[in-house]
Amino acid sequence: MNTPHGPEQVPHDPRTDVSVRFALRSPARLKTELLAGLVVALALVPEAIAFSVIAGVDPRVGLFASVTMAITIAIVGGRPAMISAATAAVALVIAPVSEQYGVDHLIATVILGGVFQVLLSFLGVAKLMRFVPRSVMVGFVNSLAILVFVAQIPHLVDVPWMVYPLVAAGLLVLVFLPRITEAVPAPLVTIVLLTVVTVAFSLNVPDVADQGELPESLPTLFFPDVPLTFETLRILAPYALAMALVGLMESLMTAKLVDDITDTRSDKTREGWGQGVANIVTGFFGGMGGCAVVGQTMMNVKVSGARTRLSTLAAGVFLLILVVALGDIVGLVPMAALVAVMIMVSIATVDWHSVHPRTLRLMPLSETVVMVVTVVATVSTGNLAIGVSLGVLTAMVLFARRVAHMTTVERTLTSDDTCTYRVTGELFWASSNDLVFQFDYIGDPENVVVDLTAADIWDASTVATFDAIQQKYVAKGKTVTIVGLDGASLERLRRLSGRLGGEN
């Protein structure tokens, strides 16, 4: 629902879930949340089946994972309106387990990965999000949009020609219907309308049923049949830890993205351990695990306008009903309808301002480089976690390089027997390594003063550099005095000087 001033603002407090109570009291908000959940549920079906194929398991494993992930995270998660389900990122990590050891070991890996996520969250891994710069976030968003679009290409290649007009018609509905009315979500209208057209005219186009067999019963408790030995732990732990890290990174990045879109703040620590709990629950119901699904989250929040955890719960419940009770009907949905919806999601997800020529001209080159590295790495690997990691690493290197060049050394001859070097800037491994070459050990008088009033010492590398400088002067029979330090810098110099073993 929109107001004259933009999207309806839903009050939210993650501790009391004001947003859910607001949705239950507001018929318009309740309708928005439920319809958004229905649209997301429809879109999750083919993706869950596709991710099952990647992981090398039966489609039911992916579908049940999406059901249990969505329902569980709706209750325990820290970011309302975010969708969690089976994902390609997790599927890629755990696929070798299924291939080499079988489904039981894969499920055990999912459960262990969930335990790791809970432990990592309580150890404060969510706080690392503060080190993700804006340029990486922009790259994350843009690469996500590209990946969502690229994922639709297989559904547009070597298909009956009727697929193309159906996709075009779906895009027209998605673009123009919101300008006429927002009484119902445009994605839902698109899916229903194209399904009716396909059935009414008996069009021979790919549908959801072609993607894999849908389950006919409810998920039941499942206990993986694996030996409870150290050897099993040794085999599964690396895959489980990789799954935990990939899932947490993708989920926390998505949560931050939704925070920005909705202008609300989420509980990242709760979201982290909530993802772990969801994976544990999913494993015990025979699911393949997962994390936040960025494309469906954007569909839920940005396209359908959902704002509460009610939409996430509805997505899970509707998905269960659709695949178990209404599987035959869901199977009739043409893939063209879902492709049109996901193309629109990719278009809406792109940060168009970030790639505008004027923005690129104004933006510092280092910021653009970080964004491009994030996009290229993500798109080339198909893994958002790898792209974000490389983007953050690039940002750190460029920042260190930029700060390193802000260090200056000024030499002043204060008397016949005294010379003062005034050092300005932040001194750490990148900026202090060349410092040793900026002193005139032969030409300086007997007394040398190094004034660090306008500098700070941040690491042991810098202390080692000053030790080397002092040793070089001592070797020439000269005296060096370091002045101007206070606080942590002075304490660091006193604690480490002369104890680092050797000179540079």
Side-chain angles (χ1 to χ4, degrees), residues 164-322:
Y164 304 111
L166 286 175
V167 171
L171 290 172
L172 289 174
V173 173
L174 290 165
V175 171
F176 292 105
L177 182 61
R179 301 181 184 182
I180 300 172
T181 178
E182 294 186 351
V184 289
L188 181 59
V189 173
T190 301
I191 292 170
V192 172
L193 181 61
L194 295 189
T195 302
V196 170
V197 170
T198 301
V199 174
F201 292 94
S202 300
L203 300 179
N204 183 24
V205 294
D207 54 29
V208 170
D210 295 329
Q211 306 303 305
E213 186 179 355
L214 300 179
E216 298 177 351
S217 62
L218 296 173
T220 57
L221 283 175
F222 177 87
F223 295 92
D225 183 16
V226 297
L228 299 179
T229 63
F230 179 77
E231 179 63 17
T232 302
L233 180 64
R234 184 189 67 79
I235 293 171
L236 301 185
Y239 295 102
L241 182 60
M243 170 195 157
L245 293 173
V246 168
L248 282 176
M249 182 177 295
E250 193 153 336
S251 298
L252 294 176
M253 291 289 288
T254 305
K256 191 173 187 301
L257 179 59
V258 178
D259 289 353
D260 294 339
I261 293 172
T262 61
D263 292 325
T264 57
R265 185 176 181 181
S266 59
D267 187 337
K268 302 297 188 304
T269 298
R270 176 176 172 178
E271 182 59 39
W273 64 255
Q275 290 289 331
V277 171
N279 275 304
I280 294 171
V281 171
T282 296
F284 280 120
F285 276 96
M288 57 177 278
C291 60
V293 190
V294 197
Q296 272 69 22
T297 296
M298 291 299 97
M299 179 188 297
N300 193 48
V301 174
K302 203 163 186 178
V303 178
S304 298
R307 290 294 181 270
T308 78
R309 61 182 72 240
L310 187 61
S311 61
T312 308
L313 178 63
V317 173
F318 281 139
L319 179 59
L320 182 61
I321 295 172
L322 288 171

Side-chain angles (χ1 to χ4, degrees), residues 432-433 436 461-469 471-472 502-504:
S432 62
N433 279 342
V436 70
S461 294
T462 303
V463 176
T465 295
F466 281 113
D467 282 352
I469 292 170
Q471 290 167 9
K472 289 180 182 297
E503 67 180 66
N504 288 357

Side-chain angles (χ1 to χ4, degrees), residues 16-26 308:
T16 60
D17 277 330
V18 172
S19 58
V20 173
R21 295 205 299 270
F22 176 82
L24 293 175
R25 291 198 306 265
S26 169
T308 78

Side-chain angles (χ1 to χ4, degrees), residues 329-349:
I329 297 176
V330 173
L332 298 174
V333 175
M335 288 303 299
L338 298 176
V339 168
V341 171
M342 295 309 293
I343 289 176
M344 185 55 64
V345 168
S346 68
I347 293 173
T349 302

